[in-house]
Amino acid sequence: MQRKRFIAGAVCPQCQAQDTLAVGQEDQVDVVTCVKCGYRQRQSDPPPAAPERQGEHIIGIFHPD
């Protein structure tokens, strides 16, 4: 059984209670659960990586001594 960790200061999107959301893992996927109302949200796919900016070039890199 995996331990759940509470998310400090988080507000439940369903019941609007603060400090009631806990995150744990089920089937290798993060799941957020509200201990007050039972709201559950599974982690969606990771967000797509930001596209590389076309036409930008590095002129130099600053190395402070």
Side-chain angles (χ1 to χ4, degrees):
M1 182 173 167
Q2 293 282 342
R3 292 184 62 158
K4 292 186 178 181
R5 300 177 316 265
F6 280 90
I7 306 170
V11 176
C12 175
Q14 186 168 317
C15 69
Q16 303 301 312
Q18 185 173 2
D19 294 332
T20 59
L21 294 180
V23 65
Q25 279 199 340
E26 292 179 5
D27 301 323
Q28 306 297 322
V29 176
D30 287 337
V31 178
V32 176
T33 305
C34 178
V35 296
K36 183 175 180 183
C37 71
Y39 169 82
R40 292 173 53 87
Q41 177 183 4
R42 292 177 64 88
Q43 178 187 13
S44 61
D45 293 333
E52 292 186 28
R53 299 179 194 175
Q54 299 297 323
E56 290 189 13
H57 302 285
I58 296 176
I59 296 172
I61 298 176
F62 176 72
H63 295 285
D65 291 325

